[in-house]
Every structure is written in C-alpha cells, then in structure tokens.
Amino acid sequence: MSSLESPQPEPTNRGSWDDVRELPPSAKLVAKVLEYNDTMTQQQIAEETLLPARTVRYALNRLDEENVVDSRFSFSDARKRLYSLDIES
C-alpha cells in the first residue's frame, strides 16, 4: 500500500431494526425500552418492562447476539452492567 492510499473505514458490526424483527417479543420490548431510555441496568429494565429478571437476561443475550445492544461496566457499581441500544440509524 502506498502512502497516498487512504485507509478503508472499518466495517461496523452494529445491528439494525431488521435484526430485531425476528427476535422474541421480550427482546423487542427490551429494545424499545432502551430506545427511549439512554442507558439502563438490567434491574431498571426489569422494573420498566415488568418482565422477570431471567427473561430480561435472555432478551439482552439475544439482542447482544444480533449486535444491537452495547454493554459496559458501571463506574458507580462494578457489579452492574449498563446497557444501551446500538442500532444503525
């Protein structure tokens, strides 16, 4: 590669709403809640959706498999993870 060539942009691994369409209803509900709320913990999602914690975990795992949710550790409590929606617009 010569110095005049520009580097190719890295492909994004972000999902889309089309990826969410085939998921179970619980995953769709969690995605919608995350769309309206910037960042939430698993417990906050469970309280907002009225879903059991186990169902929320399953939904978050399914959303993670489709690359539509982003998770990171909470700085205020390292035992918790913060989840946010990561969908291409």
Side-chain angles (χ1 to χ4, degrees):
M1 174 157 78
S2 73
S3 60
L4 298 177
E5 292 180 29
S6 63
Q8 295 293 325
E10 292 189 26
T12 59
N13 290 332
R14 299 170 80 184
S16 67
W17 282 111
D18 290 334
D19 298 326
V20 176
R21 186 171 292 139
E22 300 300 319
L23 294 178
S26 60
K28 292 176 188 174
L29 177 60
V30 169
K32 273 301 190 186
V33 166
L34 287 173
E35 180 183 26
Y36 291 111
N37 300 290
D38 238 4
T39 303
M40 300 178 80
T41 64
Q42 182 179 324
Q43 182 178 359
Q44 290 170 328
I45 295 169
E47 289 170 0
E48 181 75 20
T49 60
L50 302 177
L51 293 172
R54 183 175 180 168
T55 304
V56 171
R57 269 194 311 276
Y58 174 74
L60 288 169
N61 284 335
R62 293 295 304 269
L63 291 168
D64 188 42
E65 290 171 2
E66 298 296 329
N67 295 320
V68 296
V69 72
D70 182 41
S71 67
R72 65 182 192 278
F73 288 106
S74 169
F75 289 118
S76 61
D77 186 352
R79 297 172 295 178
K80 296 181 181 179
R81 295 186 70 80
L82 297 173
Y83 296 92
S84 59
L85 200 61
D86 189 24
I87 289 184
E88 291 180 346
S89 300

